[in-house]
Amino acid sequence: FVLFAAWPAALSVTRYSIPEEMERGSVVANLAADLGLEPGGLAQREVKLDIFHNKKYLDVNKKTGELLIVETMDREYLCPSKPVSCLLKLDVIIESPLRIFNIELGITDINDNAPHFRRDRVELDVSESATPGERFSLPNAVDPDVGINTVKTYKLSTSQHFTIEIQTGTDGTQYVDLVLTRSLDREENAVHNLILTAVDGGNPVRSGTANIIVKVQDTNDNPPRFDKQIYTVNMTENSPIGTTVIKLNAIDLDEGPNSELVYSFTLYTSEKTQDVFAMNPSTGEITVKGTIDYEDMKFYEMHIEARDKGTYPLLGQCKVVVHVTDMNDNYPEITLQAVKNTVNEDVPVGTVIALVAMSDRDTGENGKVNLFINDSIPFVLNKSSDRPMHYKLLVSKPLDRESVPDYEITLIARDSGRPPLSDNETITVHLLDVNDNAPHFPQSFYTIRVMENNAPGALLSSLSAFDPDLHENQYLVYFILEKEIANTSMSMLFSINPENGNLYALKTFDYEMEKDFLFHIEARDSGSSPLSSNVTVHIIIVDQNDNAPVIVSPWRAHGSVVEEKIPRSTDKGSLVAKVIALDVDSVHNSRVTYQFLQVTDASLFSLDQYNGEIRTMRMFSFKDSRHQRLIVVAKDNGDPALSATVTIKLSTVETSVKAYSDMTEVPLEYDIFSDLNLYLVIGLGSVSFLLLITILVTIVLKCQKVKPSKAAPPCRNSVISERNSTIADSTLVSNDAYWYSLFLAETRKGKLVVRQPMPKGSRYIVSSIPRSTGMSETSDSAPSTLQVG
């Protein structure tokens, strides 16, 4: 109560007016000047601005005393109920001394909103029977602006049938009616699309539109109409029942039930006519339901009406006149006097198959009959010379049962009437088979691969031939045409099932003994004069890795251990021993590689995996054992791999330096076809066989001569092989040309290599040749020979 008593009296209200959408920062008024305050007097005093719930829109500059716009104001938002005046009330409170100023800020409207319709699409159903002057209510537009900025008037798009009338209610609201000014015709225009536009009075003018769609509802105001009043149709007598005479199609411009038509005969159509013709009430199609006979009636008249299904149906009428045309209504007849239904396929050309006679009860052109047969049949028809209506059916070209086993021959008798009538008769001719086709194999040459070590009796392949003949002419018997290879008949190696052509192996094949076989198989039918054909069969034996490598050097004359003695002063890189293994398999199965399986000192010896040479990697030291044990495995490249091993016991002996000072090792050449080797081969080839035997005997005697030595030296070997290969620098390399034999003999000056081609098919012979060290002691190794069959 004390506060209210002390509160000073409020000043009079100060009013301002601004347009809505005024920009931010705009000055509404200078409060200091309008309220009688000194300029700058607000800077030292506390000023409070109370604008109720609209504080975000206004603010006071204390330095200048100006009332400023903080946020743009929307009159339609602040005053949604569209009052005539929109006032924003606020109080300015200044303390020291306390003063209160009442301010009213009037927001004036601007034309910032366009009129709009609550429904922008209106559909009206109007009957085409509506009379001019009928009115139809349309939705009115709304505009949130006030005064002159709100809706002022309405406009309608140009129309020959409609206009609008505007009425104003007691509250000033305008209402729009659509008025029919001209009668509607749905058949002329079923839909009218109008645009109603609402315009306000602002500046600039704003407007809004709504689509008015008037759908014209049909009334039954159009009768059915035929395009002709009289229809004329020509019909031949004896037209089949169901034949269409005419299909009437009346048109009714109405829609729905008003356009659905029902067709019927009127009472002016005779009962006899209605017994011959039928009317489909839905489609208007007139069809034949009885017999049309020219001799009975020359023409028929039908009176037709089409009636719609409207509430008050309308109808249209027409007349159909049918003229009957006389026709050839007697069919020709065919008589088969003699027929052969079964003939051999090799029947001669010109053979008579059938005798045919024809008749027709008509006369004149309608009684003249011609006989035809269906296309693509190798037969001809010949007329009998004395009987014009009689024909002979003949074979015109050779027949083939395998191409066409049966013939369906259609005889067609056709008269000369208009239109012509025809009759037909079918003859079936069956061809009997003749043995005129030899058996046929799908291939002329068969290559069959057989893995060696096959099981006897295994099926190799099925060689079935085909014979298109029938019965016994088709039954085939298979034979192997006899052929001897190395006094062995093919029937001892292979067998064929005479009924189905299945080919079997009778023995187990060994690739190392037999590489392939070439023979012929014959297929013969069982005809009375049998026909046959044959096919070539090439059997290829495929190698398996079924032979382990055979170590032929160093030769083991006494057991599987080889004992060798070498000087302890042997230099680094010296050849200690050479392992040579042979594998009688082929290609990759015969490729042999070498490796140590066990070695006493791995730092002392090296083994070449390809040529089997064992060399010293360093000189012997006093710490090295005098006895070295080397186990070498020779492994082929098969899957799974097979192998052989050899154990070499090396014993080192003390020898004088002088004894070996003159021994040098001459390396072997790798390229066997170098110029020097080529000349050597040519020279050796020119030496007679006697000289070769002399050299061989000399080498053998030298190896067998006993010489004093402290230890038995290792021996070297010569190899004669039937395998197609080439040995270069003591290395066996596969080659399909020919085999070489290698003779190694050691002298004090080094090695002697002699290469000589051996004929294909020879066995390989491995001869062990002892090596002399030049010492006085006798060697224990004796010459030996290994022969492999």
Side-chain angles (χ1 to χ4, degrees), residues 196-240:
L196 180 63
T197 303
V199 182
D200 63 19
N203 186 14
V205 175
R206 294 179 179 268
S207 63
T209 61
N211 293 325
I212 310 299
I213 300 173
V214 179
K215 297 181 179 179
V216 182
Q217 303 299 306
D218 183 61
T219 58
N220 193 17
D221 56 348
N222 291 280
R225 296 184 183 275
F226 292 93
D227 56 352
K228 294 181 181 179
Q229 289 299 313
I230 299 176
Y231 295 90
T232 301
V233 180
N234 294 321
M235 291 287 295
T236 58
E237 63 174 330
N238 300 320
S239 294

Side-chain angles (χ1 to χ4, degrees), residues 270-341:
S270 67
E271 293 183 0
K272 188 174 183 178
T273 300
Q274 295 187 39
D275 290 339
V276 177
F277 300 99
M279 167 67 75
N280 187 315
S282 300
T283 63
E285 183 180 21
I286 301 175
T287 57
V288 176
K289 74 173 183 178
T291 301
I292 302 177
D293 190 356
Y294 175 82
E295 289 71 27
D296 186 19
M297 289 191 68
K298 303 296 186 292
F299 67 92
Y300 297 88
E301 282 190 358
M302 290 172 278
H303 296 268
I304 312 297
E305 72 173 14
R307 186 184 300 266
D308 63 29
K309 296 182 180 180
T311 305
Y312 300 99
L314 303 177
L315 58 87
Q317 293 182 341
C318 72
K319 182 170 67 173
V320 177
V321 179
V322 178
H323 293 277
V324 181
T325 303
D326 189 22
M327 63 172 293
N328 180 24
D329 55 353
N330 289 289
Y331 289 86
E333 294 182 359
I334 299 175
T335 302
L336 299 177
Q337 296 179 334
V339 178
K340 290 183 179 179
N341 295 108

Side-chain angles (χ1 to χ4, degrees), residues 338-357:
V339 178
K340 290 183 179 179
N341 295 108
T342 303
V343 294
N344 288 337
E345 64 174 320
D346 61 348
V347 65
V349 174
T351 300
V352 178
I353 300 299
L355 296 176
V356 184

Side-chain angles (χ1 to χ4, degrees), residues 31-307:
L31 293 180
D34 294 344
L35 299 179
L37 302 175
E38 64 279 5
L42 298 179
Q44 305 298 326
R45 305 171 69 180
E46 183 178 355
V47 178
K48 295 182 180 180
L49 184 65
D50 187 0
I51 54 174
F52 304 102
H53 301 292
N54 300 304
K55 297 181 179 179
K56 64 179 181 179
Y57 295 106
L58 299 171
D59 197 5
V60 176
N61 189 328
K62 293 184 178 182
K63 294 182 178 180
T64 62
E66 293 175 335
L67 183 62
L68 305 175
I69 299 295
V70 177
E71 186 67 35
T72 303
M73 289 177 281
D74 184 5
R75 184 184 186 280
E76 287 72 31
Y77 173 77
L78 295 174
C79 302
S81 60
K82 291 186 64 174
V84 177
S85 61
C86 180
L87 297 177
L88 187 64
K89 296 182 179 182
L90 59 143
D91 293 336
V92 177
I93 303 173
I94 303 174
E95 296 184 355
S96 301
L98 180 64
R99 296 180 66 184
I100 299 176
F101 298 94
N102 295 327
I103 298 175
E104 291 183 353
L105 184 62
I107 310 300
T108 58
D109 183 54
I110 63 173
N111 191 22
D112 58 345
N113 292 280
H116 69 276
F117 291 88
R118 294 185 178 89
R119 293 168 56 195
D120 59 357
R121 176 185 174 92
V122 179
E123 294 185 1
L124 298 176
D125 293 332
V126 180
S127 174
E128 65 175 328
S129 61
T131 58
E134 287 196 28
R135 309 170 71 90
F136 308 93
S137 298
L138 298 179
N140 60 320
V142 295
D143 192 329
D145 295 326
V146 296
I148 195 173
N149 294 328
T150 191
V151 178
K152 181 180 180 182
T153 185
Y154 293 87
K155 296 179 182 179
L156 184 67
S157 59
T158 303
S159 173
Q160 297 179 356
H161 298 272
F162 296 96
T163 187
I164 58 172
E165 289 187 2
I166 303 173
Q167 298 181 9
T168 304
T170 56
D171 59 351
T173 303
Q174 291 181 333
Y175 300 95
V176 184
D177 288 338
L178 183 66
V179 181
L180 180 64
T181 58
R182 181 181 174 185
S183 298
L184 300 175
D185 185 356
R186 189 203 62 81
E187 290 71 35
E188 178 183 348
N189 192 356
V191 178
H192 295 266
N193 292 304
L194 307 174
I195 297 177
L196 180 63
T197 303
V199 182
D200 63 19
N203 186 14
V205 175
R206 294 179 179 268
S207 63
T209 61
N211 293 325
I212 310 299
I213 300 173
V214 179
K215 297 181 179 179
V216 182
Q217 303 299 306
D218 183 61
T219 58
N220 193 17
D221 56 348
N222 291 280
R225 296 184 183 275
F226 292 93
D227 56 352
K228 294 181 181 179
Q229 289 299 313
I230 299 176
Y231 295 90
T232 301
V233 180
N234 294 321
M235 291 287 295
T236 58
E237 63 174 330
N238 300 320
S239 294
I241 294 176
T243 300
T244 298
V245 178
I246 191 174
K247 185 175 182 180
L248 300 174
N249 186 22
I251 298 176
D252 194 320
L253 299 178
D254 296 323
E255 68 175 359
N258 297 330
S259 66
E260 296 177 5
L261 304 181
V262 178
Y263 299 88
S264 62
F265 293 120
T266 69
L267 297 177
Y268 297 107
T269 305
S270 67
E271 293 183 0
K272 188 174 183 178
T273 300
Q274 295 187 39
D275 290 339
V276 177
F277 300 99
M279 167 67 75
N280 187 315
S282 300
T283 63
E285 183 180 21
I286 301 175
T287 57
V288 176
K289 74 173 183 178
T291 301
I292 302 177
D293 190 356
Y294 175 82
E295 289 71 27
D296 186 19
M297 289 191 68
K298 303 296 186 292
F299 67 92
Y300 297 88
E301 282 190 358
M302 290 172 278
H303 296 268
I304 312 297
E305 72 173 14
R307 186 184 300 266

Side-chain angles (χ1 to χ4, degrees), residues 522-544:
E522 179 181 293
R524 183 184 306 160
D525 62 28
S526 303
S528 58
S529 297
L531 300 177
S532 64
S533 63
N534 58 63
V535 67
T536 302
V537 178
H538 186 200
I539 304 293
I540 299 177
I541 308 302
V542 181
D543 181 53
Q544 277 187 329

